[in-house]
Amino acid sequence: DGGITQSPKYLFRKEGQNVTLSCEQNLNHDAMYWYRQDPGQGLRLIYYSQIVNDFQKGDIAEGYSVSREKKESFPLTVTSAQKNPTAFYLCASSFPQGTGGSYNQPQHFGDGTRLSIL
Amino acid sequence: AQSVAQPEDQVNVAEGNPLTVKCTYSVSGNPYLFWYVQYPNRGLQFLLKYITGDNLVKGSYGFEAEFNKSQTSFHLKKPSALVSDSALYFCAVREMSNQGGKLIFGQGTELSVKP
């Protein structure tokens, strides 16, 4: 079955450490997204990518980095510069949005990674 | 700028009763609206969307949503609630800008259905 796989499900970060969250999809989607979920705040966009080798900052990109070397993969690195990393991180994918694509396509989500500080 | 609001943090319903989860939106231009459901420690699952056309949109698991342009609302409804409907529900609107068509989410509404 097609879907989005996020790993690990739980992750712990030590002080000063960078950690990388994995996101892989086999839906043949061009666009991929990373969201951060905090209780009572909904989801906030960290980074997104509309196509391989290109990505853009979202609303809360500081302290995070991404790469998009393959269509299927969009890993997120939480750097030591992110002072409040404890959250639930969700990866999503969709067909292209906006120019050249369609705004009516829903995003499909993985099951998330819960990151905590040790 | 687009925005969406879910005025209720929690909704409590008895099993078998109808349920409504409220959502209001603010957009410039035509709205693209979505409802998602999230079960504990899981990702979001797409329920339904409104793009154009009929104001009553039918979706997954017996859910439907009513689009009301004059009230800028997109309330989620179900005629008869199940205990298994208990979850966190998110309304979202599509950002019509260069930000990749990102979704702007409400803060979520916790639905609790009691037997």
Side-chain angles (χ1 to χ4, degrees), chain B residues 12-28:
Chain B
N12 298 307
V13 177
E15 188 175 31
N17 283 0
L19 69 87
T20 298
V21 182
K22 295 180 180 178
C23 173
T24 59
Y25 65 89
S26 174
V27 300
S28 53

Side-chain angles (χ1 to χ4, degrees), chain B residues 24-77:
Chain B
T24 59
Y25 65 89
S26 174
V27 300
S28 53
N30 294 323
Y32 294 80
L33 298 159
F34 301 80
W35 273 104
Y36 287 84
V37 59
Q38 184 180 35
Y39 296 98
N41 293 311
R42 300 295 301 275
L44 276 65
Q45 295 178 32
F46 168 70
L47 282 177
L48 50 80
K49 65 182 179 184
Y50 173 82
I51 307 301
T52 60
D54 291 340
N55 290 339
L56 188 64
V57 179
K58 293 192 182 297
S60 305
Y61 313 120
F63 283 94
E64 55 191 26
E66 187 173 10
F67 173 73
N68 187 315
K69 188 173 183 178
S70 63
Q71 297 186 3
T72 62
S73 66
F74 188 54
H75 300 333
L76 183 70
K77 298 174 184 280

Side-chain angles (χ1 to χ4, degrees), chain A residues 52-92:
Chain A
V52 175
N53 292 323
D54 185 57
F55 50 83
Q56 306 295 330
K57 292 181 179 180
D59 299 317
I60 56 165
E62 185 174 351
Y64 301 97
S65 66
V66 293
S67 63
R68 186 86 189 276
E69 298 176 359
K70 298 186 302 181
K71 185 175 184 177
E72 300 80 14
S73 179
F74 191 41
L76 173 73
T77 296
V78 184
T79 74
S80 57
Q82 173 48 246
K83 297 306 180 188
N84 184 23
T86 298
F88 192 47
Y89 291 86
L90 289 163
C91 178

Side-chain angles (χ1 to χ4, degrees), chain A residues 30-45:
Chain A
D30 287 298
M32 297 187 75
Y33 308 81
W34 274 106
Y35 292 93
R36 171 179 171 139
Q37 184 178 13
D38 296 281
Q41 293 193 41
L43 277 70
R44 292 180 290 168
L45 183 66

Side-chain angles (χ1 to χ4, degrees), chain A residues 16 19 44 94:
Chain A
V19 292
R44 292 180 290 168
S94 73

